[in-house]
Amino acid sequence: MTCVLRWGLMAVSSLLLSSITHAASQLNQVYQLSTDNTQLVYTVGEDGRLIFRYYGPRLSNTDQFAPWRSYNRPDCQREANYEAYPSFGLGYVNEPALSVINANGSLITELVFDNYVQQSSEGVIHGIFTLRDRVAAVCVQLHVEAYQQEDVMAQWVTIANESKGEVSLQRFYSSFLNFRANNYYLTHFYGTWAGEMNRVEETLEPGIKVVESKKGVRTTQSENPSFILSLDHPAQENSGHCIGGALAWSGNYKLSFEVDERDYLSVLAGINPFLAAYKLNKGEQFQTPKFLFTYSANGQGTISRNFHDWARRYGLHAGMKERPILLNSWEGAYFNFDEQVLTDMMDDAAQMGVELFVLDDGWFGNKYPRNSDKMGLGDWQVNAKKLPRGLQYLIDYATSKGLKFGIWIEPEMVNPKSELAEKHPEWIVQSPGREKITMRNQLLLDLTNPEVQEFVWGVVDKLLTAHPDIYYIKWDANRHVEQVGSQYLSSNEQTHFWVDYIRGLYEVYDRIRAKYPDVMIQACASGGGRVDYGSLPYHDEFWTSDNSDALQRVYMQYVTNLIYPPIATASHVSATPNHQTGSVTPIKFRFDVAMSGRLGLELQPKDIPAGEMAFAREAITNYKNHVRELVTKGDLYRLISPYACTNNHAANMLVSKDKRKAVLFAYCTGFNRRGIRPTVHLQGLDPAKVYRITEINKVSKRKAFWGDGNCYDGAYLQQVGVELQIARQYDSAVFLLEEVK
Ligand code: GLA
């Protein structure tokens, strides 16, 4: 940034040469985009650049941002100035949002403001800043959407090559934000298979902290493209200034947090530039994915609620629709089933009150039957030996039991032992001349290739055309990219793979959604490998993790729901001992945890001991009657963090928008010594409303709260709180709060 002053002197002369002239009124003009409670402010400097000025709580008067003291006034101390979309060249020495190799080989980009237009639709203001390079014919449009009620903003750019030659994009982030605080604390999310979405909070020191994925596909398993940034102090639930961010992209991403020599923090978010140079021919343009962000002046609780509200309304397929309770066959049967096993599971599911049966992996392949993960992937014909009467028999059986039917597919992938691999070796992602590395015995299909897109579309379309009653699809993706290489892309376009793969995937999804808007689709990628706001507009939910252990899920769902809404968080009651962790947990604990998200079951119902069946049925009824609506549309309040509690407790609640109904979940994550009981201070209630508090999902007459069944006003419940008698590991309690008039 110290170079800017030097550049400022040059700018005067280049301004004179510039073909872009600015009316005096445009210079020092303040451009602001506001939501109900937040604001983003830019000004155009005297040198014609669009400058980022402010992002934070909404101000009453933004005129005060002008005039901006320009750095080409020699007598004044230059104010910090960061461009709205900093490019490389002429002074910017931090990580730039944009770097380009121009048609003439020049590495310099110098964007100046051309014009601003604004459009409004219901609840959303969309501003477009047009910026043009002063010399090269490259045009950047910076888009900002301000979602009024949700206090969420979205930013992305389009970059157009208006020159006669070829332009190579080297870096093309979606968004740039800048902050000034005494300290910066970054919460980000990491994990692995069966252990997704752990949280870590770290102080940002001078230098660059990067959160990224270079895996191409299944990119959110080891890091998620989202974060919470807290200014001055570590993030608190209900106080302090923080920013939540999430990139809406399912491919390689990079989030960069740079504390520079002035102690300013610059945040870049976008597609990972790693080996991803993108060529734009004459007249072509490139659009980046959206980066979503939200600001809270009262802690991270508001960040989550803003994202959840936004997702339900704009970012998640059928975001307001209640989801059916499902039984998935995977952990109950794995690959070992025949018609009888499945119809027995359906019988039991129907009796328990389950509403949807999902047939997982193992139903397809004949030449290479899919009886394990070793073969058959890619051959989407029904396995005639296992299912001689075909899928329709199972669908009709489900229907006769009052169940909807769902099915697992993994159409982006192929086993080398498959008819598909034999027929179309050229569709497989690989590097010529090298031995292919399999992962879970499978390879990736090259979705940059329109023929492969057609095939993947065909897998879905044929299934849904042949069986229009299929209600639900679980779309899996069980490997990432290791040996990048496309036989479709030309040799000088290999770096396009990362972007074109995801664009190909989204194109297939667009077709699916256009023809099948009502089919429910779950995003699964070995569990939580595709949990991002790029994929969620196409999906109704995601499979949070292959780890179905209830205690693990207390932590994982706490973190997942920092950014993504509970209704999208598939959460299943599984067998005990748990198949991933070996832990033995009571059925009540398993239900009480699963009911805080999209409730499902993933076990062989026959393995539920007879004595526990009545409880399971009652819990399912409670979910339908009382909890589901709150999980779908309610506001989430985290009361006790499993991460932060000095004792072994966790609690959260969901409150209806009208504050007339709520559900409280409390869990013991470990043993608590005698006398240690959690007092839970409720949140989100109306202090003046009176609520009856009723425990549900009870396994004995013992009251987890001495006041069970009594009425209290919201102020009491929030200030005095509720002391719970849960002390042993895996103790849990669920309470319903209903307004009484
Ligand atoms: C992945 C998914 C599981 C299951 C299996 C089937 O691991 O995450 O839920 O569907 O594939 O092979």
Side-chain angles (χ1 to χ4, degrees), residues 38 130 145 172 192 244 254 263 337 358 480 492 502 685 690 699:
T38 70
T130 299
E145 277 175 344
F172 36 90
T192 183
K254 184 163 173 176
D263 279 351
F337 57 80
V358 181
H480 56 260
N492 67 349
I502 299 300
L685 301 174
V690 176
V699 281

Side-chain angles (χ1 to χ4, degrees), residues 184-238:
Y184 307 101
Y185 296 87
L186 175 70
T187 301
H188 61 103
F189 315 113
Y190 69 95
T192 183
W193 176 77
E196 296 87 340
M197 291 301 255
N198 303 274
R199 84 183 260 289
V200 60
E201 183 172 47
E202 55 189 278
T203 313
L204 292 174
E205 303 289 355
I208 299 188
K209 165 75 193 177
V210 164
V211 173
E212 68 174 350
S213 173
K214 300 200 276 293
K215 289 182 167 178
V217 171
R218 205 177 62 169
T219 48
T220 72
Q221 198 152 51
S222 32
E223 281 279 350
N224 195 275
S226 63
F227 63 87
I228 292 175
L229 175 70
S230 186
L231 305 181
D232 293 323
H233 307 285
Q236 302 288 317
E237 194 57 30
N238 295 312

Side-chain angles (χ1 to χ4, degrees), residues 383-416:
N383 180 308
K385 209 161 166 197
K386 274 177 171 170
L387 305 174
R389 284 176 279 190
L391 283 183
Q392 198 53 44
Y393 170 76
L394 294 175
I395 297 168
D396 292 342
Y397 193 90
T399 311
S400 74
K401 295 287 161 183
L403 294 168
K404 298 174 176 17
F405 187 87
I407 196 156
W408 180 97
I409 52 171
E410 196 184 357
E412 295 160 75
M413 308 276 170
V414 62
N415 282 129

Side-chain angles (χ1 to χ4, degrees), residues 193 196 218 221 328 330-331 334-335 360-362 370 372-373 377 408-410 440 442 474 476-478 522 524-528 543 545-547 602:
W193 176 77
E196 296 87 340
R218 205 177 62 169
Q221 198 152 51
N328 177 297
W330 181 240
E331 287 195 25
Y334 293 108
F335 293 102
D360 211 283
D361 198 354
R370 179 80 172 168
S372 74
D373 60 22
L377 201 55
W408 180 97
I409 52 171
E410 196 184 357
R440 207 194 186 213
Q442 66 195 56
K474 174 175 175 178
D476 213 337
N478 279 309
Q522 181 187 70
C524 175
S526 314
W543 181 220
S545 173
D546 272 354
N547 189 339
E602 186 152 341

